[in-house]
Structures are given as structure tokens and as C-alpha cells.
Amino acid sequence: MKLFKRSSQLHGWLAGLMLAIFVLTATGCGSENDNTVAGAPKQSELTLVVGAYSVAKDAMEEILPQFAVKWKADTGQTIAFQQSYEASGTQARAIAGGFEADVTLLAMEGDVEKLVKAGLVQPNWKERGEAGMVTRSVVALGTREGNPKGIHDFADLTKPGVKVLYPNPKTSGGAQWDINAIYGAGLKQSEKQGGTKDPAAAKAFLESVHANVESLDKSGRASMAAFEYGVGDVIVTYENELLARIAQGVKYEVIIPENTILIENPAAVVDKYVDERGTRVAAEALVNYLLTPEAQEIFAKHGFRPVDKNVYAKHESRYPVPAGLFDIKYLGGWDEVRSTLYSKRGIWYQVLAGI
């Protein structure tokens, strides 16, 4: 009887222990995906992976710590970041190839669309904020102090003896904006002279500029580093890059061409990876935070044109609007640009091949 009693007590104790383990295990499994703001997160720390284009690096390194403070205040959870900064095209290919970024900031819509086609980002990503965009800029020209070559517009880049820098559009989203701006300026010029857009004239104009290009670097940052090292007479780049470098004490003259393109830079949650990693709530909160006045002020500090109208209005005097400013729609939209300029037999290929 005593043996039976002890055996029963042992079985009861084991059953209780198994139940406790089951409850703890179930709770632990649930915590991975339970980083909601409404309820206290079960994890004490969460890591977000951010994969961005190189130009966004300085601003993001200031924005992310502020977001971490806000997230901690809102949820009680500590958040850390793993960050990667590359040329936009390189970054998009890395994410499509398995780099598990939770959030991505890229140079252009087309690079996010590559992730949509890869099944990583939902097609409705542009429904967030300003059609998915978190910053704006324009393609500008940077010269050495005093503008010794007398550069005033894209046409001046075709003059003999003027050495031009811009990066390689195969790897750099910024370079595609540069090429789009020059090609679009050629279209604008032909339209002014003949009344209609002339793609042949625009191609010839792009060819004449490219003939003076000194080197094609991997990214906009690499191109700027080469220029500051002493290569070239003029760099085609983002306005914000020039303003940021001037703020850091580097001597540049900034020229905004009469006909240039409005740059729009997107951010998106990488849906497939956040769902696999259980980081969706925090990832969406970060992308939303990029649109807040606090983050937009930091972007403005680093030379970007804010998408927040009130923040933009505060800094409007810093951002001249050229008479011939156009956007990607003037070139037919990104689908048209990809097929006409950057396809295997497109205009850019022909310019490189001298066809």
C-alpha cells in the first residue's frame, strides 16, 4: 500500500512537471511573434536588420538610436540593429539572394520592385506614407571650390577637357538617377527646340556627356570619395550628398541644372523575412517612424528634401526648384525607363558600346 501510494504521488508530481514544461514551452514559442505595442513584449531584446543604400547611412545612424529610445518607451523592449549599407542595386540583389533584412531603404522604386518580383515584399508597399517614399532630392552637379571649369548646366559637361564623375548604373541606384537626369535634360532640350521629345537627340546628348566620364565607381559614395581624392572636375550626384559634405567642411560648389530630375527614395518592410523572424511589428514601426517630423528633420539635416510638408516648409529656402524640374513620369515611368534605358539592348548599353 505504501509503495502504491508513493508511486501515485510520483506519477502526480511528474504529470504536474510535464504540464508546467508544456506551458512554459508554449509561452516561449509564442513570444517570438509577440512584439506588439498593445501588450508588453515577451522578449527583453529584439534585433532588426536594416539593409540600405549607401547614401542613407549617415542619416540612418542618427535616426536608429532615436527610434530605439521611442520603442523602449512605448514597449519596454530593448531594440538593437544590424546595419548594412551598399550601392542600391547591390543591396537589392543581396536581399533577393537571401540577406534577411527586415527593413530596406533603397535609392529608387525599381529596386524595391525587384524585391516584389522575388516574392519578398508585398505589392502594396507603396500604400505606406508618401507612396512609399521617405526622402526626396534632385540630381545636382558638384564642382571644386570656385567652379574653375565654369560649370553651370549639364551642357557644360560635354565641353572638351571637362572630366566628369558618376557611378555605374549597373550597381548604383544613384547612378540611374544621374543617367535619367542627363537623358531627360536631353529630351527637354529637344522638346524646347523642336516642340516634341526626341529620343535620338537625348541619346546623343547622353553620349556626349559620357564621353567625358573619368570613371564609373560602384556607388555614389565611392564616386564622391574619388572626387574628393582629386579625380575629375565635376561630379553628378544627389543634392543631399553635396549639402551633407559641405556641412562637414568639404569645399564644394553646388549647381542645380535648369532641367533635372526629382529623386524619390523608398523604404519598405521585407515581408517574407519579418514574418519568418517574428519582427513585423517593430519593422513596420521603424518604417512609420521614418515619416515622423523627428526623423524627417534628421533627413533634412543631412541634405535630403523631406517628404513631410511641414518639415519641408521649414527648410524650403535651402532647396531651389529649377524651372525645368521633372520626375520619372516625364520619362514614361520606371517600367519604360528600365526597358528603354537599362535593358540588355537599351540606350545605356548602346552608349557604352558606342552603337
Side-chain angles (χ1 to χ4, degrees):
M1 291 294 293
K2 289 181 180 179
L3 181 62
F4 176 78
K5 185 175 181 182
R6 286 177 182 173
S7 177
S8 297
Q9 288 172 338
L10 180 61
H11 282 300
W13 180 81
L14 286 173
L17 177 62
M18 293 299 293
L19 178 61
I21 290 172
F22 174 78
V23 171
L24 287 171
T25 302
T27 304
C29 291
S31 69
E32 257 189 60
N33 295 303
D34 190 16
N35 62 76
T36 60
V37 176
K42 301 299 187 295
Q43 294 168 296
S44 61
E45 183 171 325
L46 176 74
T47 298
L48 281 184
V49 181
V50 178
Y53 70 114
S54 57
V55 173
K57 183 175 187 288
D58 294 340
M60 288 301 292
E61 287 187 337
E62 191 171 339
I63 288 170
L64 291 176
Q66 289 202 13
F67 173 73
V69 170
K70 183 178 187 305
W71 182 259
K72 179 77 170 179
D74 289 347
T75 70
Q77 186 178 45
T78 299
I79 195 164
F81 302 98
Q82 293 179 4
Q83 302 170 61
S84 168
Y85 298 93
E86 289 281 356
S88 186
T90 302
Q91 190 69 267
R93 283 190 292 275
I95 294 169
F99 170 49
E100 295 185 357
D102 299 297
V103 170
T104 187
L105 288 82
L106 296 172
M108 57 188 186
E109 177 184 328
D111 283 339
V112 179
E113 287 299 324
K114 291 174 186 175
L115 303 182
V116 173
K117 289 179 180 178
L120 302 177
V121 173
Q122 292 296 323
N124 65 350
W125 68 273
K126 292 181 73 175
E127 293 177 5
R128 189 188 307 276
E130 294 293 317
M133 306 301 156
V134 294
T135 55
R136 295 189 178 105
S137 190
V138 298
V139 170
L141 307 176
T143 74
R144 305 201 180 279
E145 189 176 13
N147 192 6
K149 294 286 185 175
I151 306 296
H152 300 291
D153 212 334
F154 282 127
D156 295 320
L157 307 190
T158 68
K159 293 178 179 178
V162 174
K163 297 176 181 179
V164 180
L165 287 186
Y166 50 67
N168 190 337
K170 285 187 176 181
T171 56
S172 169
Q176 289 196 29
W177 283 116
D178 299 339
I179 301 304
N180 295 348
I182 296 166
Y183 180 77
L187 285 178
K188 283 273 188 177
Q189 189 177 60
S190 69
E191 193 173 23
K192 183 178 179 180
Q193 293 172 349
T196 59
K197 298 177 187 176
D198 183 351
K203 177 192 170 187
F205 183 66
L206 178 57
E207 285 174 328
S208 63
V209 173
H210 188 70
N212 283 344
V213 168
E214 190 81 347
S215 66
L216 290 174
D217 296 294
K218 178 183 177 181
S219 69
R221 278 290 167 92
S223 194
M224 181 161 278
F227 185 80
E228 292 178 11
Y229 186 74
V231 179
D233 302 308
V234 57
I235 183 170
V236 186
T237 188
Y238 288 20
E239 172 194 50
N240 58 278
E241 281 284 79
L242 296 170
L243 295 179
R245 295 301 287 157
I246 290 170
Q248 293 166 10
V250 183
K251 302 296 183 183
Y252 274 101
E253 299 286 335
V254 181
I255 295 99
I256 308 295
E258 179 182 355
N259 298 311
T260 192
I261 196 165
L262 177 68
I263 295 168
E264 296 186 289
N265 311 120
V269 172
V270 187
D271 295 283
K272 183 175 187 293
Y273 295 149
V274 298
D275 287 340
E276 289 176 352
R277 288 169 28 80
T279 54
R280 174 172 289 280
V281 174
E284 289 186 347
L286 174 56
V287 175
N288 289 338
Y289 184 75
L290 298 178
L291 295 161
T292 63
E294 293 78 15
Q296 290 287 299
E297 282 286 357
I298 294 173
F299 280 127
K301 173 184 171 182
H302 290 274
F304 290 95
R305 298 187 177 208
V307 297
D308 182 281
K309 293 177 182 177
N310 293 330
V311 177
Y312 177 82
K314 287 172 59 178
H315 300 277
E316 191 171 3
S317 61
R318 297 178 61 198
Y319 307 120
V321 180
L325 184 66
F326 57 92
D327 62 18
I328 198 67
K329 294 176 186 175
Y330 179 75
L331 303 181
W334 276 112
D335 287 343
E336 177 70 15
V337 166
R338 280 193 292 271
S339 63
T340 59
L341 260 73
Y342 304 113
S343 63
K344 290 182 179 179
R345 298 288 175 177
I347 291 168
W348 177 247
Y349 167 86
Q350 295 170 29
V351 169
L352 286 180
I355 299 173

